[in-house]
PDB file of all heavy atoms in Angstrom:
ATOM      1  N   GLY A   1      85.258 -93.150 -48.526  1.00 92.00           N
ATOM      2  CA  GLY A   1      86.489 -92.468 -48.906  1.00 92.00           C
ATOM      3  C   GLY A   1      86.707 -92.398 -50.400  1.00 92.00           C
ATOM      4  O   GLY A   1      85.796 -92.070 -51.165  1.00 92.00           O
ATOM      5  N   ALA A   2      87.928 -92.742 -50.831  1.00 94.00           N
ATOM      6  CA  ALA A   2      88.301 -92.646 -52.247  1.00 94.00           C
ATOM      7  C   ALA A   2      88.125 -93.955 -53.001  1.00 94.00           C
ATOM      8  O   ALA A   2      88.504 -94.044 -54.172  1.00 94.00           O
ATOM      9  CB  ALA A   2      89.758 -92.176 -52.360  1.00 94.00           C
ATOM     10  N   TYR A   3      87.545 -94.948 -52.359  1.00 96.00           N
ATOM     11  CA  TYR A   3      87.297 -96.221 -53.062  1.00 96.00           C
ATOM     12  C   TYR A   3      86.233 -95.970 -54.133  1.00 96.00           C
ATOM     13  O   TYR A   3      85.094 -95.618 -53.817  1.00 96.00           O
ATOM     14  CB  TYR A   3      86.819 -97.286 -52.086  1.00 96.00           C
ATOM     15  CG  TYR A   3      87.814 -97.621 -50.995  1.00 96.00           C
ATOM     16  CD1 TYR A   3      87.739 -96.988 -49.755  1.00 96.00           C
ATOM     17  CD2 TYR A   3      88.810 -98.564 -51.201  1.00 96.00           C
ATOM     18  CE1 TYR A   3      88.642 -97.289 -48.745  1.00 96.00           C
ATOM     19  CE2 TYR A   3      89.725 -98.873 -50.196  1.00 96.00           C
ATOM     20  CZ  TYR A   3      89.634 -98.229 -48.966  1.00 96.00           C
ATOM     21  OH  TYR A   3      90.536 -98.523 -47.973  1.00 96.00           O
ATOM     22  N   SER A   4      86.592 -96.182 -55.381  1.00 94.00           N
ATOM     23  CA  SER A   4      85.674 -95.828 -56.471  1.00 94.00           C
ATOM     24  C   SER A   4      84.551 -96.842 -56.635  1.00 94.00           C
ATOM     25  O   SER A   4      83.510 -96.534 -57.227  1.00 94.00           O
ATOM     26  CB  SER A   4      86.438 -95.683 -57.792  1.00 94.00           C
ATOM     27  OG  SER A   4      87.088 -96.891 -58.130  1.00 94.00           O
ATOM     28  N   ASP A   5      84.726 -98.060 -56.133  1.00 95.00           N
ATOM     29  CA  ASP A   5      83.684 -99.091 -56.217  1.00 95.00           C
ATOM     30  C   ASP A   5      83.697 -99.856 -54.899  1.00 95.00           C
ATOM     31  O   ASP A   5      84.238-100.963 -54.805  1.00 95.00           O
ATOM     32  CB  ASP A   5      83.940-100.028 -57.402  1.00 95.00           C
ATOM     33  CG  ASP A   5      82.766-100.955 -57.687  1.00 95.00           C
ATOM     34  OD1 ASP A   5      81.924-101.140 -56.785  1.00 95.00           O
ATOM     35  OD2 ASP A   5      82.695-101.504 -58.801  1.00 95.00           O
ATOM     36  N   PHE A   6      83.084 -99.263 -53.880  1.00 96.00           N
ATOM     37  CA  PHE A   6      83.162 -99.876 -52.556  1.00 96.00           C
ATOM     38  C   PHE A   6      82.401-101.191 -52.459  1.00 96.00           C
ATOM     39  O   PHE A   6      82.815-102.067 -51.690  1.00 96.00           O
ATOM     40  CB  PHE A   6      82.695 -98.892 -51.486  1.00 96.00           C
ATOM     41  CG  PHE A   6      83.164 -99.257 -50.111  1.00 96.00           C
ATOM     42  CD1 PHE A   6      84.520 -99.362 -49.832  1.00 96.00           C
ATOM     43  CD2 PHE A   6      82.261 -99.510 -49.093  1.00 96.00           C
ATOM     44  CE1 PHE A   6      84.966 -99.711 -48.560  1.00 96.00           C
ATOM     45  CE2 PHE A   6      82.698 -99.859 -47.819  1.00 96.00           C
ATOM     46  CZ  PHE A   6      84.060 -99.964 -47.552  1.00 96.00           C
ATOM     47  N   PRO A   7      81.296-101.405 -53.183  1.00 95.00           N
ATOM     48  CA  PRO A   7      80.691-102.747 -53.135  1.00 95.00           C
ATOM     49  C   PRO A   7      81.671-103.858 -53.495  1.00 95.00           C
ATOM     50  O   PRO A   7      81.625-104.939 -52.904  1.00 95.00           O
ATOM     51  CB  PRO A   7      79.546-102.640 -54.149  1.00 95.00           C
ATOM     52  CG  PRO A   7      79.142-101.206 -54.064  1.00 95.00           C
ATOM     53  CD  PRO A   7      80.433-100.454 -53.918  1.00 95.00           C
ATOM     54  N   LYS A   8      82.577-103.591 -54.434  1.00 96.00           N
ATOM     55  CA  LYS A   8      83.574-104.612 -54.777  1.00 96.00           C
ATOM     56  C   LYS A   8      84.527-104.860 -53.615  1.00 96.00           C
ATOM     57  O   LYS A   8      84.996-105.986 -53.410  1.00 96.00           O
ATOM     58  CB  LYS A   8      84.341-104.201 -56.032  1.00 96.00           C
ATOM     59  CG  LYS A   8      83.557-104.387 -57.319  1.00 96.00           C
ATOM     60  CD  LYS A   8      84.428-104.126 -58.531  1.00 96.00           C
ATOM     61  CE  LYS A   8      83.646-104.379 -59.821  1.00 96.00           C
ATOM     62  NZ  LYS A   8      84.475-104.114 -61.033  1.00 96.00           N
ATOM     63  N   VAL A   9      84.813-103.813 -52.853  1.00 96.00           N
ATOM     64  CA  VAL A   9      85.661-103.973 -51.674  1.00 96.00           C
ATOM     65  C   VAL A   9      84.963-104.877 -50.654  1.00 96.00           C
ATOM     66  O   VAL A   9      85.558-105.831 -50.121  1.00 96.00           O
ATOM     67  CB  VAL A   9      85.990-102.606 -51.045  1.00 96.00           C
ATOM     68  CG1 VAL A   9      86.778-102.777 -49.754  1.00 96.00           C
ATOM     69  CG2 VAL A   9      86.766-101.733 -52.030  1.00 96.00           C
ATOM     70  N   LEU A  10      83.705-104.591 -50.379  1.00 97.00           N
ATOM     71  CA  LEU A  10      82.953-105.397 -49.413  1.00 97.00           C
ATOM     72  C   LEU A  10      82.781-106.833 -49.915  1.00 97.00           C
ATOM     73  O   LEU A  10      82.878-107.784 -49.130  1.00 97.00           O
ATOM     74  CB  LEU A  10      81.597-104.750 -49.145  1.00 97.00           C
ATOM     75  CG  LEU A  10      81.644-103.353 -48.515  1.00 97.00           C
ATOM     76  CD1 LEU A  10      80.236-102.794 -48.363  1.00 97.00           C
ATOM     77  CD2 LEU A  10      82.355-103.380 -47.168  1.00 97.00           C
ATOM     78  N   ALA A  11      82.534-106.977 -51.209  1.00 97.00           N
ATOM     79  CA  ALA A  11      82.377-108.324 -51.770  1.00 97.00           C
ATOM     80  C   ALA A  11      83.676-109.109 -51.693  1.00 97.00           C
ATOM     81  O   ALA A  11      83.660-110.335 -51.491  1.00 97.00           O
ATOM     82  CB  ALA A  11      81.886-108.230 -53.214  1.00 97.00           C
ATOM     83  N   SER A  12      84.809-108.424 -51.844  1.00 97.00           N
ATOM     84  CA  SER A  12      86.088-109.126 -51.759  1.00 97.00           C
ATOM     85  C   SER A  12      86.341-109.622 -50.336  1.00 97.00           C
ATOM     86  O   SER A  12      86.920-110.691 -50.135  1.00 97.00           O
ATOM     87  CB  SER A  12      87.230-108.224 -52.233  1.00 97.00           C
ATOM     88  OG  SER A  12      87.436-107.137 -51.350  1.00 97.00           O
ATOM     89  N   LEU A  13      85.896-108.855 -49.333  1.00 98.00           N
ATOM     90  CA  LEU A  13      85.981-109.335 -47.950  1.00 98.00           C
ATOM     91  C   LEU A  13      85.078-110.558 -47.758  1.00 98.00           C
ATOM     92  O   LEU A  13      85.471-111.542 -47.124  1.00 98.00           O
ATOM     93  CB  LEU A  13      85.592-108.223 -46.978  1.00 98.00           C
ATOM     94  CG  LEU A  13      85.566-108.582 -45.490  1.00 98.00           C
ATOM     95  CD1 LEU A  13      86.912-109.099 -45.015  1.00 98.00           C
ATOM     96  CD2 LEU A  13      85.130-107.382 -44.655  1.00 98.00           C
ATOM     97  N   ALA A  14      83.887-110.509 -48.331  1.00 98.00           N
ATOM     98  CA  ALA A  14      82.987-111.659 -48.248  1.00 98.00           C
ATOM     99  C   ALA A  14      83.607-112.893 -48.901  1.00 98.00           C
ATOM    100  O   ALA A  14      83.480-114.016 -48.384  1.00 98.00           O
ATOM    101  CB  ALA A  14      81.644-111.331 -48.899  1.00 98.00           C
ATOM    102  N   ALA A  15      84.301-112.702 -50.020  1.00 97.00           N
ATOM    103  CA  ALA A  15      84.917-113.826 -50.723  1.00 97.00           C
ATOM    104  C   ALA A  15      85.994-114.503 -49.874  1.00 97.00           C
ATOM    105  O   ALA A  15      86.361-115.650 -50.134  1.00 97.00           O
ATOM    106  CB  ALA A  15      85.511-113.354 -52.046  1.00 97.00           C
ATOM    107  N   GLU A  16      86.480-113.797 -48.851  1.00 97.00           N
ATOM    108  CA  GLU A  16      87.512-114.360 -47.979  1.00 97.00           C
ATOM    109  C   GLU A  16      86.914-115.107 -46.783  1.00 97.00           C
ATOM    110  O   GLU A  16      87.644-115.517 -45.880  1.00 97.00           O
ATOM    111  CB  GLU A  16      88.458-113.261 -47.516  1.00 97.00           C
ATOM    112  CG  GLU A  16      89.259-112.665 -48.673  1.00 97.00           C
ATOM    113  CD  GLU A  16      90.286-111.635 -48.225  1.00 97.00           C
ATOM    114  OE1 GLU A  16      90.588-111.567 -47.013  1.00 97.00           O
ATOM    115  OE2 GLU A  16      90.801-110.905 -49.093  1.00 97.00           O
ATOM    116  N   GLY A  17      85.585-115.254 -46.758  1.00 97.00           N
ATOM    117  CA  GLY A  17      84.979-116.104 -45.742  1.00 97.00           C
ATOM    118  C   GLY A  17      84.151-115.412 -44.688  1.00 97.00           C
ATOM    119  O   GLY A  17      83.951-115.964 -43.600  1.00 97.00           O
ATOM    120  N   PHE A  18      83.624-114.220 -45.005  1.00 98.00           N
ATOM    121  CA  PHE A  18      82.778-113.483 -44.075  1.00 98.00           C
ATOM    122  C   PHE A  18      81.458-113.131 -44.755  1.00 98.00           C
ATOM    123  O   PHE A  18      81.441-112.806 -45.944  1.00 98.00           O
ATOM    124  CB  PHE A  18      83.446-112.166 -43.648  1.00 98.00           C
ATOM    125  CG  PHE A  18      84.815-112.325 -43.057  1.00 98.00           C
ATOM    126  CD1 PHE A  18      85.945-112.331 -43.870  1.00 98.00           C
ATOM    127  CD2 PHE A  18      84.979-112.465 -41.687  1.00 98.00           C
ATOM    128  CE1 PHE A  18      87.212-112.474 -43.333  1.00 98.00           C
ATOM    129  CE2 PHE A  18      86.253-112.611 -41.130  1.00 98.00           C
ATOM    130  CZ  PHE A  18      87.374-112.607 -41.962  1.00 98.00           C
ATOM    131  N   THR A  19      80.370-113.182 -44.005  1.00 98.00           N
ATOM    132  CA  THR A  19      79.163-112.522 -44.487  1.00 98.00           C
ATOM    133  C   THR A  19      79.296-111.051 -44.101  1.00 98.00           C
ATOM    134  O   THR A  19      79.561-110.728 -42.941  1.00 98.00           O
ATOM    135  CB  THR A  19      77.898-113.121 -43.853  1.00 98.00           C
ATOM    136  OG1 THR A  19      77.730-114.461 -44.339  1.00 98.00           O
ATOM    137  CG2 THR A  19      76.659-112.302 -44.235  1.00 98.00           C
ATOM    138  N   VAL A  20      79.149-110.172 -45.085  1.00 98.00           N
ATOM    139  CA  VAL A  20      79.400-108.743 -44.885  1.00 98.00           C
ATOM    140  C   VAL A  20      78.097-107.984 -45.081  1.00 98.00           C
ATOM    141  O   VAL A  20      77.364-108.224 -46.047  1.00 98.00           O
ATOM    142  CB  VAL A  20      80.476-108.230 -45.855  1.00 98.00           C
ATOM    143  CG1 VAL A  20      80.718-106.733 -45.656  1.00 98.00           C
ATOM    144  CG2 VAL A  20      81.785-109.005 -45.661  1.00 98.00           C
ATOM    145  N   ALA A  21      77.807-107.079 -44.175  1.00 98.00           N
ATOM    146  CA  ALA A  21      76.578-106.284 -44.259  1.00 98.00           C
ATOM    147  C   ALA A  21      76.926-104.805 -44.170  1.00 98.00           C
ATOM    148  O   ALA A  21      77.694-104.394 -43.293  1.00 98.00           O
ATOM    149  CB  ALA A  21      75.622-106.668 -43.135  1.00 98.00           C
ATOM    150  N   SER A  22      76.364-104.013 -45.071  1.00 98.00           N
ATOM    151  CA  SER A  22      76.584-102.569 -45.078  1.00 98.00           C
ATOM    152  C   SER A  22      75.270-101.888 -44.730  1.00 98.00           C
ATOM    153  O   SER A  22      74.265-102.071 -45.419  1.00 98.00           O
ATOM    154  CB  SER A  22      77.087-102.110 -46.451  1.00 98.00           C
ATOM    155  OG  SER A  22      77.414-100.743 -46.446  1.00 98.00           O
ATOM    156  N   VAL A  23      75.282-101.087 -43.663  1.00 98.00           N
ATOM    157  CA  VAL A  23      74.056-100.648 -43.002  1.00 98.00           C
ATOM    158  C   VAL A  23      73.720 -99.193 -43.291  1.00 98.00           C
ATOM    159  O   VAL A  23      74.582 -98.316 -43.215  1.00 98.00           O
ATOM    160  CB  VAL A  23      74.194-100.830 -41.469  1.00 98.00           C
ATOM    161  CG1 VAL A  23      72.940-100.382 -40.750  1.00 98.00           C
ATOM    162  CG2 VAL A  23      74.504-102.273 -41.137  1.00 98.00           C
ATOM    163  N   GLU A  24      72.449 -98.932 -43.609  1.00 97.00           N
ATOM    164  CA  GLU A  24      71.904 -97.570 -43.586  1.00 97.00           C
ATOM    165  C   GLU A  24      71.358 -97.308 -42.185  1.00 97.00           C
ATOM    166  O   GLU A  24      70.906 -98.223 -41.495  1.00 97.00           O
ATOM    167  CB  GLU A  24      70.757 -97.429 -44.592  1.00 97.00           C
ATOM    168  CG  GLU A  24      71.188 -97.488 -46.042  1.00 97.00           C
ATOM    169  CD  GLU A  24      71.722 -96.168 -46.566  1.00 97.00           C
ATOM    170  OE1 GLU A  24      71.778 -95.191 -45.770  1.00 97.00           O
ATOM    171  OE2 GLU A  24      72.111 -96.114 -47.739  1.00 97.00           O
ATOM    172  N   TYR A  25      71.370 -96.032 -41.789  1.00 98.00           N
ATOM    173  CA  TYR A  25      70.810 -95.647 -40.502  1.00 98.00           C
ATOM    174  C   TYR A  25      70.156 -94.282 -40.655  1.00 98.00           C
ATOM    175  O   TYR A  25      70.393 -93.568 -41.643  1.00 98.00           O
ATOM    176  CB  TYR A  25      71.902 -95.604 -39.418  1.00 98.00           C
ATOM    177  CG  TYR A  25      73.133 -94.817 -39.816  1.00 98.00           C
ATOM    178  CD1 TYR A  25      73.213 -93.438 -39.601  1.00 98.00           C
ATOM    179  CD2 TYR A  25      74.228 -95.448 -40.415  1.00 98.00           C
ATOM    180  CE1 TYR A  25      74.334 -92.713 -39.957  1.00 98.00           C
ATOM    181  CE2 TYR A  25      75.360 -94.730 -40.782  1.00 98.00           C
ATOM    182  CZ  TYR A  25      75.409 -93.359 -40.555  1.00 98.00           C
ATOM    183  OH  TYR A  25      76.527 -92.641 -40.918  1.00 98.00           O
ATOM    184  N   ARG A  26      69.327 -93.908 -39.710  1.00 98.00           N
ATOM    185  CA  ARG A  26      68.690 -92.598 -39.779  1.00 98.00           C
ATOM    186  C   ARG A  26      69.744 -91.503 -39.681  1.00 98.00           C
ATOM    187  O   ARG A  26      70.579 -91.509 -38.774  1.00 98.00           O
ATOM    188  CB  ARG A  26      67.647 -92.453 -38.666  1.00 98.00           C
ATOM    189  CG  ARG A  26      66.340 -93.171 -38.950  1.00 98.00           C
ATOM    190  CD  ARG A  26      65.438 -93.162 -37.736  1.00 98.00           C
ATOM    191  NE  ARG A  26      65.959 -94.037 -36.676  1.00 98.00           N
ATOM    192  CZ  ARG A  26      65.415 -94.167 -35.483  1.00 98.00           C
ATOM    193  NH1 ARG A  26      64.334 -93.449 -35.169  1.00 98.00           N
ATOM    194  NH2 ARG A  26      65.927 -94.992 -34.586  1.00 98.00           N
ATOM    195  N   LEU A  27      69.705 -90.573 -40.617  1.00 97.00           N
ATOM    196  CA  LEU A  27      70.662 -89.477 -40.628  1.00 97.00           C
ATOM    197  C   LEU A  27      70.227 -88.404 -39.635  1.00 97.00           C
ATOM    198  O   LEU A  27      69.083 -88.383 -39.175  1.00 97.00           O
ATOM    199  CB  LEU A  27      70.786 -88.926 -42.047  1.00 97.00           C
ATOM    200  CG  LEU A  27      71.235 -89.958 -43.097  1.00 97.00           C
ATOM    201  CD1 LEU A  27      71.243 -89.347 -44.490  1.00 97.00           C
ATOM    202  CD2 LEU A  27      72.604 -90.540 -42.750  1.00 97.00           C
ATOM    203  N   SER A  28      71.153 -87.504 -39.330  1.00 97.00           N
ATOM    204  CA  SER A  28      70.929 -86.582 -38.212  1.00 97.00           C
ATOM    205  C   SER A  28      69.780 -85.617 -38.435  1.00 97.00           C
ATOM    206  O   SER A  28      69.167 -85.150 -37.468  1.00 97.00           O
ATOM    207  CB  SER A  28      72.212 -85.811 -37.915  1.00 97.00           C
ATOM    208  OG  SER A  28      72.686 -85.130 -39.071  1.00 97.00           O
ATOM    209  N   HIS A  29      69.462 -85.294 -39.698  1.00 96.00           N
ATOM    210  CA  HIS A  29      68.315 -84.429 -39.945  1.00 96.00           C
ATOM    211  C   HIS A  29      66.991 -85.199 -39.858  1.00 96.00           C
ATOM    212  O   HIS A  29      65.916 -84.596 -39.837  1.00 96.00           O
ATOM    213  CB  HIS A  29      68.433 -83.740 -41.307  1.00 96.00           C
ATOM    214  CG  HIS A  29      69.395 -82.591 -41.297  1.00 96.00           C
ATOM    215  ND1 HIS A  29      70.687 -82.693 -41.772  1.00 96.00           N
ATOM    216  CD2 HIS A  29      69.267 -81.323 -40.838  1.00 96.00           C
ATOM    217  CE1 HIS A  29      71.299 -81.533 -41.625  1.00 96.00           C
ATOM    218  NE2 HIS A  29      70.467 -80.681 -41.060  1.00 96.00           N
ATOM    219  N   GLU A  30      67.084 -86.524 -39.834  1.00 96.00           N
ATOM    220  CA  GLU A  30      65.896 -87.350 -39.642  1.00 96.00           C
ATOM    221  C   GLU A  30      65.643 -87.615 -38.164  1.00 96.00           C
ATOM    222  O   GLU A  30      64.495 -87.581 -37.704  1.00 96.00           O
ATOM    223  CB  GLU A  30      66.073 -88.690 -40.369  1.00 96.00           C
ATOM    224  CG  GLU A  30      66.216 -88.587 -41.873  1.00 96.00           C
ATOM    225  CD  GLU A  30      66.491 -89.935 -42.501  1.00 96.00           C
ATOM    226  OE1 GLU A  30      67.627 -90.449 -42.358  1.00 96.00           O
ATOM    227  OE2 GLU A  30      65.582 -90.489 -43.137  1.00 96.00           O
ATOM    228  N   ALA A  31      66.720 -87.901 -37.436  1.00 97.00           N
ATOM    229  CA  ALA A  31      66.594 -88.217 -36.009  1.00 97.00           C
ATOM    230  C   ALA A  31      67.957 -88.028 -35.359  1.00 97.00           C
ATOM    231  O   ALA A  31      68.972 -88.498 -35.874  1.00 97.00           O
ATOM    232  CB  ALA A  31      66.102 -89.647 -35.814  1.00 97.00           C
ATOM    233  N   ALA A  32      67.976 -87.351 -34.242  1.00 97.00           N
ATOM    234  CA  ALA A  32      69.228 -87.086 -33.542  1.00 97.00           C
ATOM    235  C   ALA A  32      69.698 -88.320 -32.781  1.00 97.00           C
ATOM    236  O   ALA A  32      68.969 -89.312 -32.634  1.00 97.00           O
ATOM    237  CB  ALA A  32      69.046 -85.906 -32.584  1.00 97.00           C
ATOM    238  N   PHE A  33      70.927 -88.253 -32.284  1.00 98.00           N
ATOM    239  CA  PHE A  33      71.462 -89.307 -31.453  1.00 98.00           C
ATOM    240  C   PHE A  33      70.533 -89.516 -30.237  1.00 98.00           C
ATOM    241  O   PHE A  33      70.008 -88.539 -29.700  1.00 98.00           O
ATOM    242  CB  PHE A  33      72.869 -88.907 -30.957  1.00 98.00           C
ATOM    243  CG  PHE A  33      73.547 -89.956 -30.146  1.00 98.00           C
ATOM    244  CD1 PHE A  33      74.237 -90.971 -30.747  1.00 98.00           C
ATOM    245  CD2 PHE A  33      73.466 -89.938 -28.753  1.00 98.00           C
ATOM    246  CE1 PHE A  33      74.842 -91.970 -29.990  1.00 98.00           C
ATOM    247  CE2 PHE A  33      74.061 -90.925 -27.991  1.00 98.00           C
ATOM    248  CZ  PHE A  33      74.749 -91.935 -28.614  1.00 98.00           C
ATOM    249  N   PRO A  34      70.281 -90.770 -29.845  1.00 98.00           N
ATOM    250  CA  PRO A  34      70.983 -92.007 -30.198  1.00 98.00           C
ATOM    251  C   PRO A  34      70.374 -92.813 -31.338  1.00 98.00           C
ATOM    252  O   PRO A  34      70.708 -93.999 -31.489  1.00 98.00           O
ATOM    253  CB  PRO A  34      70.923 -92.794 -28.891  1.00 98.00           C
ATOM    254  CG  PRO A  34      69.599 -92.422 -28.303  1.00 98.00           C
ATOM    255  CD  PRO A  34      69.404 -90.964 -28.643  1.00 98.00           C
ATOM    256  N   ALA A  35      69.497 -92.214 -32.139  1.00 98.00           N
ATOM    257  CA  ALA A  35      68.817 -92.977 -33.194  1.00 98.00           C
ATOM    258  C   ALA A  35      69.773 -93.722 -34.132  1.00 98.00           C
ATOM    259  O   ALA A  35      69.543 -94.908 -34.414  1.00 98.00           O
ATOM    260  CB  ALA A  35      67.900 -92.053 -33.994  1.00 98.00           C
ATOM    261  N   PRO A  36      70.865 -93.093 -34.631  1.00 98.00           N
ATOM    262  CA  PRO A  36      71.733 -93.843 -35.545  1.00 98.00           C
ATOM    263  C   PRO A  36      72.345 -95.086 -34.909  1.00 98.00           C
ATOM    264  O   PRO A  36      72.430 -96.139 -35.549  1.00 98.00           O
ATOM    265  CB  PRO A  36      72.812 -92.816 -35.920  1.00 98.00           C
ATOM    266  CG  PRO A  36      72.208 -91.492 -35.654  1.00 98.00           C
ATOM    267  CD  PRO A  36      71.309 -91.699 -34.475  1.00 98.00           C
TER     268      PRO A  36
END
């Protein structure tokens, strides 16, 4: 969205006591559903 530095957002959630993972997946021009 409009978050200008989303890694900082995810890191701030991690700082509150969670391991946070941000995932890449195959995009639709690479492989159709259910691949993602």
Side-chain angles (χ1 to χ4, degrees):
Y3 299 95
S4 60
D5 190 341
F6 199 59
K8 284 187 177 179
V9 175
L10 297 177
S12 67
L13 177 58
E16 294 184 15
F18 304 88
T19 292
V20 179
S22 185
V23 180
E24 291 278 1
Y25 50 87
R26 282 172 289 176
L27 301 176
S28 56
H29 283 100
E30 297 176 287
F33 183 84

